[in-house]
Amino acid sequence: MIPEEFREFFVAAAGTTGALVGLLFVAVSVFPDAGREDTTRAQFHTRSSAALLVFTNALIISMAALVPDVRLGWWAIVAGAGVLVFAAATARSIVSEARALRDGPGRQLGLIGLPGLLVIGGFEVYAGIRLLAAAPELDLGAIKTLMYVLIGELMYGIARAWQLLGVRDSGLFSTLRLLAGRDPARGGE
């Protein structure tokens, strides 16, 4: 059972995530052509799928944490494993597509935020294992780790949704390039 002092966090996370899922559907419906064009289809689908995955993941973990007497460790392990499987399948898909186009997969792998998915999935599985190992006691450190993972999932999902709008790539490396004065949008790269 989750201690009462953590309950408000999971209630807020569930509500926030539910709203973000709705906004993601709006973002996807605003630019439906980007999902059909050959040049943008893979990026559009990958970004929208990744955002939906982490939002759904955060929503499920938040709601599961609110169920009385829940074994949250199992929920975290399954959710984290799902993120890791998605990351692996997406990387494989991008590498296969890059080979078919005789293009390097490096830039495309960065576009999907693969490292972010690996961190999210890895820490989620780690927290779940710690929660199961501590049972029947409750590992408060593992609960806090899971809470930070949920925050990370929301940040990641918002970044991918922002990219769907085509406003600007908000990934770490593109931000660092922008700070270094190499803005690809202005031909600085």
Side-chain angles (χ1 to χ4, degrees):
M1 183 156 185
I2 303 301
E4 195 62 35
E5 63 263 23
F6 297 128
R7 187 172 177 75
E8 282 185 45
F9 173 84
F10 288 110
V11 168
T16 301
T17 306
L20 288 171
V21 167
L23 289 173
L24 177 63
F25 281 105
V26 170
V28 168
S29 66
V30 168
F31 296 108
D33 292 338
R36 294 186 199 104
E37 295 176 16
D38 289 340
T39 57
T40 59
R41 182 177 43 242
Q43 291 175 6
F44 185 83
H45 285 232
T46 301
R47 287 174 176 162
S48 60
S49 298
L52 183 61
L53 173 72
V54 295
F55 286 157
T56 303
N57 196 1
L59 182 62
I60 289 170
I61 293 296
S62 297
M63 293 186 70
L66 298 173
V67 175
D69 300 321
V70 70
R71 297 280 309 259
L72 194 56
W74 287 116
W75 286 94
I77 290 171
V78 170
V83 171
L84 293 173
V85 167
F86 175 83
T90 301
R92 184 180 188 285
S93 171
I94 286 175
V95 168
S96 296
E97 184 176 321
R99 283 185 184 154
L101 298 173
R102 299 193 191 286
D103 187 18
R107 182 176 183 279
Q108 293 162 339
L109 288 176
L111 290 174
I112 62 161
L114 189 61
L117 289 173
L118 295 173
V119 168
I120 287 169
F123 273 104
E124 202 160 32
V125 169
Y126 168 74
I129 290 170
R130 280 185 55 188
L131 285 169
L132 289 179
E137 300 297 317
L138 191 59
D139 183 342
L140 295 181
I143 295 288
K144 288 180 181 178
T145 298
L146 199 52
M147 292 166 80
Y148 288 121
V149 167
L150 292 178
I151 292 169
E153 286 179 321
L154 295 179
M155 290 171 36
Y156 181 91
I158 290 167
R160 297 294 80 78
W162 186 254
Q163 289 174 332
L164 284 175
L165 298 176
V167 177
R168 180 177 293 279
D169 185 352
S170 58
L172 175 63
F173 296 117
S174 63
T175 301
L176 292 174
R177 281 192 303 271
L178 182 63
L179 285 173
R182 292 184 294 219
D183 187 359
R186 295 183 183 165
E189 203 170 56

